[in-house]
Amino acid sequence: MKSSKIFTRGVLDVLPLLIPVFPFGLIIGVIGVELGFSPLLVYVSSLVVFSGSAQIVLFQLVSGGASPFVALASVGVTNSRHFLYGAVLSEYLEDLSTSWKAFLSYFLVDQSFALSHRFFKENNSLKNKHFYLLGSGATLWFVWQVSSLTGIFLGSIVPEELGLSFAIPLTFLSLIIHEFKKFDHLIVIFISGFLAI
């Protein structure tokens, strides 16, 4: 299969997961500006951090007066799950050069990991399978940047009654919805959710 077709499949497969991602990015833009950060700083955080949960932690801690060390350490802990993502996918990408691995790691977020892991398991023999991660991750990145910018510039006119905060749990729910078909997975999901509460 050609690299362009694998890339396109990654783009198409991630499209349904973009439905909750856009309002989540919108919320990031709104929250950042509402907490007193400059629009430029909020947008740079979307470029550098590229993680909604970590950005929320960062904004709230810094605006609350936390030290830079505490804020950065908290962001690091919040994003530590990406080490696991990288470890899981490394067996499928071991033939890639270090520069390719470093480049792809920037696009390795929750949604691109969930899709890529399934695709890599089903298509392990494909030589150019990493283009799937690139396609899904780059699409998520683009939508995240657009939605963050929209939140920054239009957030002040979005009515609070719209309740955009629903997008945060919906984003993560969309990642596990596929697992609802299996009864044993349902048991694990509900027990984990109950224990977390």
Side-chain angles (χ1 to χ4, degrees):
M1 190 183 293
K2 289 184 179 178
S3 300
S4 58
K5 286 188 175 180
I6 297 172
F7 180 91
T8 303
R9 183 166 170 192
V11 171
L12 295 175
D13 286 353
V14 83
L15 292 180
L17 299 180
L18 298 179
I19 296 168
V21 168
F22 190 88
F24 192 4
L26 192 69
I27 290 167
I28 294 300
V30 172
I31 287 176
V33 172
E34 281 183 356
L35 289 176
F37 297 98
S38 72
L40 179 61
L41 186 62
V42 174
Y43 182 63
V44 167
S45 77
S46 285
L47 282 172
V48 175
V49 180
F50 184 33
S51 168
S53 55
Q55 285 173 263
I56 288 174
V57 168
L58 179 67
F59 293 156
Q60 289 179 334
L61 287 175
V62 172
S63 67
S67 71
F69 175 76
V70 169
L72 291 176
S74 299
V75 167
V77 169
T78 303
N79 276 348
S80 62
R81 67 190 185 280
H82 292 91
F83 288 119
L84 297 174
Y85 294 168
V88 169
L89 295 187
S90 65
E91 67 174 295
Y92 302 105
L93 304 174
E94 60 188 356
D95 293 336
L96 291 181
S97 66
T98 304
S99 55
W100 253 116
K101 290 176 186 176
F103 181 65
L104 287 174
S105 69
Y106 178 69
F107 298 105
L108 188 58
V109 294
D110 300 316
Q111 296 86 349
S112 61
F113 166 75
L115 290 172
S116 296
H117 185 231
R118 185 171 38 209
F119 180 81
F120 291 169
K121 279 199 300 189
E122 294 170 358
N123 300 280
N124 194 22
S125 60
L126 277 179
K127 186 176 182 182
N128 298 328
K129 58 184 169 286
H130 59 284
F131 280 93
Y132 184 89
L133 173 57
L134 181 62
S136 59
T139 304
L140 285 159
W141 179 88
F142 177 77
V143 170
W144 187 254
Q145 303 312 315
V146 170
S147 62
S148 295
L149 275 173
T150 304
I152 290 166
F153 293 110
L154 302 178
S156 59
I157 63 171
V158 174
E160 197 172 312
E161 300 80 36
L162 195 59
L164 289 177
S165 58
F166 77 94
I168 296 171
L170 188 59
T171 299
F172 296 104
L173 182 63
S174 67
L175 297 177
I176 63 169
I177 199 75
H178 182 264
E179 305 301 327
F180 284 5
K181 297 178 195 171
K182 302 166 186 169
F183 184 72
D184 57 337
H185 291 191
L186 271 175
I187 293 171
V188 171
I189 288 168
F190 285 113
I191 290 175
S192 300
F194 176 76
L195 293 175
I197 291 170

